[in-house]
Amino acid sequence: MTGPGRRLPAILIWALLLTAAFGPVVLAAFSPWLAYRDAAYITGGFAGILALSLLLIQPLMVAGYLPGLRGPGGRRWHRRTGVAVVVCVVAHVGGLYITSPPDTLDALLLVAPTPFSVYGVTAMWGVLLTGLMALARRRIARPVLWRRAHNALAAVVVVATVVHAVQIEGAMELVSKWALCIAVLVATAVTLLDMRVLRRRASG
């Protein structure tokens, strides 16, 4: 098979993945809801949408499913994407705080009347703890324990983020939001099952 022939499936995979991940971001940019929001709220909102999009790509990188990002390269970009998720989460909370400090503080203190805020705060703490764990990885004497904790936190972050997103009626277009959320759940579940169960059985 020729070189271009080998590249075609890889290009198609990346095109489909990027469309699934960032198509909802593009559609949200045309939402009529944005006409009634200030710059801080829009920035914070889109930072949250981008974080959700990155959660689709991140597990696929570490699992080695993506063409051109297998092995050490995939793990390296998994870490970089993790940093981007942390930045997006901080920007998301920061933008909401600038827009409405009382509402944001109520959410952070778990006293907000909106049910989606609990899941958002859960996801936020999960992301921050995962980031701290990544920084301390080399200092942890038991790598197996670190991986189990990392995987558990990743599952909590994904589930909490998805529930948080689907409960919010905002700029995201409904069908693309649900499609992205389902894709994130499937990608995470398949990756965890493959890496923690199937590959361990094959190596054993």
Side-chain angles (χ1 to χ4, degrees):
M1 184 179 295
T2 63
R6 288 194 297 267
R7 288 195 296 268
L8 183 59
I11 294 173
L12 181 60
I13 290 172
W14 275 106
L16 292 173
L17 176 62
L18 294 177
T19 299
F22 299 109
V25 180
V26 176
L27 292 176
F30 294 95
S31 172
W33 287 63
L34 302 181
Y36 308 99
R37 300 296 187 178
D38 59 21
Y41 184 91
I42 293 173
T43 300
F46 273 86
I49 299 172
L50 185 57
L52 175 62
S53 299
L54 293 175
L55 289 181
L56 172 60
I57 301 174
Q58 194 181 25
L60 303 179
M61 288 178 173
V62 75
Y65 297 150
L66 301 179
L69 289 180
R70 295 187 172 95
R75 292 190 292 271
R76 182 166 56 251
W77 276 102
H78 173 80
R79 292 190 293 269
R80 292 172 178 173
T81 307
V83 172
V85 171
V86 173
V87 172
C88 287
V89 169
V90 172
H92 179 60
V93 177
L96 297 180
Y97 180 81
I98 293 173
T99 302
S100 179
D103 289 340
T104 305
L105 289 176
D106 283 349
L108 293 174
L109 296 173
L110 302 179
V111 296
T114 50
F116 59 77
S117 62
V118 175
Y119 295 99
V121 172
T122 301
M124 179 198 74
W125 283 116
V127 167
L128 295 179
L129 286 174
T130 303
L132 292 174
M133 283 185 60
L135 292 175
R137 180 175 184 177
R138 295 183 179 180
R139 300 181 180 181
I140 297 177
R142 300 177 62 185
V144 174
L145 180 61
W146 183 92
R147 285 194 295 269
R148 288 176 179 174
H150 178 79
N151 292 340
L153 277 174
V156 170
V157 167
V158 166
V159 172
T161 300
V162 166
V163 176
H164 176 68
V166 298
Q167 289 185 334
I168 295 176
E169 294 183 6
M172 292 191 75
E173 189 272 330
L174 184 61
V175 175
S176 63
K177 177 173 69 173
W178 272 95
L180 175 58
C181 288
I182 292 172
V184 169
L185 289 173
V186 171
T188 303
V190 169
T191 298
L192 291 176
L193 177 63
D194 184 17
M195 297 188 68
R196 305 313 306 157
V197 179
L198 301 180
R199 295 188 190 184
R200 290 184 65 181
R201 287 182 178 177
S203 62

